[in-house]
Every structure is written in C-alpha cells, then in structure tokens.
Amino acid sequence: FSDADTSFLIRLISSTLTQIVEFNDHLPERLEHITRFHSKSPPQISVLDYITRIVQFANVEKCCLLMLLRYVDQICDRGIII
C-alpha cells in the first residue's frame, strides 16, 4: 500500500468506514449507549467527501493515511463496533 495513490487510500478508508457505519445503523439503539457523537439525522456530506476535505485542507501525508488504514483494519479484525 505504500506505493498506492493517495486518492486510492482515501477511497479505501472511506469505503471501510461507510461499511462500519451501515452495519452500526442496523444495530438496535439503547439509550445508555447514546453519546454526543450520535446524530438524529445523517450528515449531508458523504464519508468520502469528508475525508477528502480533511486530507486536502489539513495537508494529511500519505503515511498518516496508511496508519489510519491500519487502525481501521484492526478495528474490523477485533470486531469492535464504533
């Protein structure tokens, strides 16, 4: 992946995060698990567009995207639901 294009890494990360979100959306909500990070309605921006904007305006380097990809992969491997 170190030779991968930045836009490919962004698409891969956003695709994985979108799948996690979709999975979590099908879980039953329990009041004791609702936090300030929950929303009543989905945001108007896609995960892909959101990550693209962060990378563009925060000048995120490829090594940071690679680390993020690894962390997201670990979350998926451990079965941790966000």
Side-chain angles (χ1 to χ4, degrees), residues 68-80:
L68 176 59
L69 184 59
R70 177 64 181 133
Y71 290 139
V72 170
D73 188 51
Q74 286 179 337
I75 288 170
C76 293
D77 284 347
R78 293 179 184 180
I80 298 171

Side-chain angles (χ1 to χ4, degrees), residues 6-80:
T6 301
S7 62
F8 172 78
L9 293 173
I10 292 170
R11 287 192 312 275
L12 185 59
I13 293 166
S14 68
S15 172
T16 306
L17 290 176
T18 299
Q19 289 176 18
I20 291 171
V21 168
E22 289 172 358
F23 178 82
N24 287 344
D25 282 347
H26 289 90
L27 296 175
E29 290 185 27
R30 295 190 306 221
L31 290 178
E32 64 269 12
H33 289 123
I34 294 179
T35 68
R36 67 181 71 186
F37 297 105
H38 289 83
S39 175
K40 292 182 181 182
S41 62
Q44 296 297 312
I45 187 170
S46 69
V47 174
L48 175 61
D49 290 341
Y50 188 69
I51 292 174
T52 301
R53 287 180 58 84
I54 290 172
V55 170
Q56 178 183 358
F57 293 112
N59 296 321
V60 176
E61 296 182 20
K62 187 189 286 190
C63 63
C64 295
L65 294 174
L66 289 168
M67 289 188 304
L68 176 59
L69 184 59
R70 177 64 181 133
Y71 290 139
V72 170
D73 188 51
Q74 286 179 337
I75 288 170
C76 293
D77 284 347
R78 293 179 184 180
I80 298 171

